[in-house]
């Protein structure tokens, strides 16, 4: 089984063909195909190739399943005895992809 380590959105992911992964949001619509050229390593049962830092010519293609937002994170800041309270919420956007092929 072939695994690849890709970098996108400032994070690294270990992926294999058929995996469904949540990554940082990228600007593409659902159903589009996206190619990741920042491949750090290709790992197989028999041999492994590691880049320094990237592998030349290696790519991973994936299909975008959907774009969405994660669960809400509540931020509450409070200062005792000062009657100071601040409430804020945040939902991190994500893109859900399915890995199709690894080449290189």
């Amino acid at each position: 089984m072939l695994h690849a380590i890709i970098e996108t959105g400032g994070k690294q992911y270990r992926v294999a063909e058929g995996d469904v992964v949540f990554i940082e949001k990228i600007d593409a619509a659902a159903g589009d195909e996206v190619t990741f050229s920042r491949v750090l390593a290709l790992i197989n049962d028999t041999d492994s190739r590691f880049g320094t830092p990237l592998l030349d010519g290696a790519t991973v293609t994936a299909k975008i399943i959907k774009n969405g937002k994660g669960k809400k994170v509540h931020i509450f800041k409070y200062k005792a005895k000062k009657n100071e309270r601040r409430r804020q919420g945040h939902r991190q956007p994500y893109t859900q992809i399915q890995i199709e092929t690894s080449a290189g």
Side-chain angles (χ1 to χ4, degrees):
M1 177 169 230
L2 179 68
H3 291 277
I5 299 176
I6 63 171
E7 181 182 346
T8 178
K11 297 177 179 64
Q12 297 175 3
Y13 301 93
R14 182 179 184 197
V15 296
E17 192 171 319
D19 283 354
V20 176
V21 182
F22 291 89
I23 63 172
E24 292 294 315
K25 185 177 186 318
I26 54 179
D27 292 329
D32 288 352
E33 197 166 285
V34 64
T35 302
F36 298 103
S37 60
R38 295 187 60 85
V39 178
L40 303 172
L42 290 174
I43 303 163
N44 202 345
D45 293 336
T46 57
D47 62 344
S48 300
R49 290 179 30 212
F50 298 95
T52 55
L54 302 175
L55 282 173
D56 293 330
T59 59
V60 173
T61 59
K63 182 180 175 186
I64 295 180
I65 298 173
K66 72 174 188 173
N67 291 314
K69 289 184 180 180
K71 288 193 167 194
K72 182 172 270 197
V73 177
H74 297 282
I75 299 105
F76 186 77
K77 294 185 178 183
Y78 173 80
K79 299 218 178 188
K81 302 176 194 155
K82 303 293 182 203
N83 197 21
E84 185 177 328
R85 296 172 179 85
R86 203 163 70 209
R87 214 168 69 177
Q88 186 179 4
H90 175 74
R91 294 180 68 190
Q92 184 69 25
Y94 67 84
T95 298
Q96 184 180 11
I97 60 171
Q98 182 169 13
I99 305 299
E100 293 181 342
T101 59
S102 299

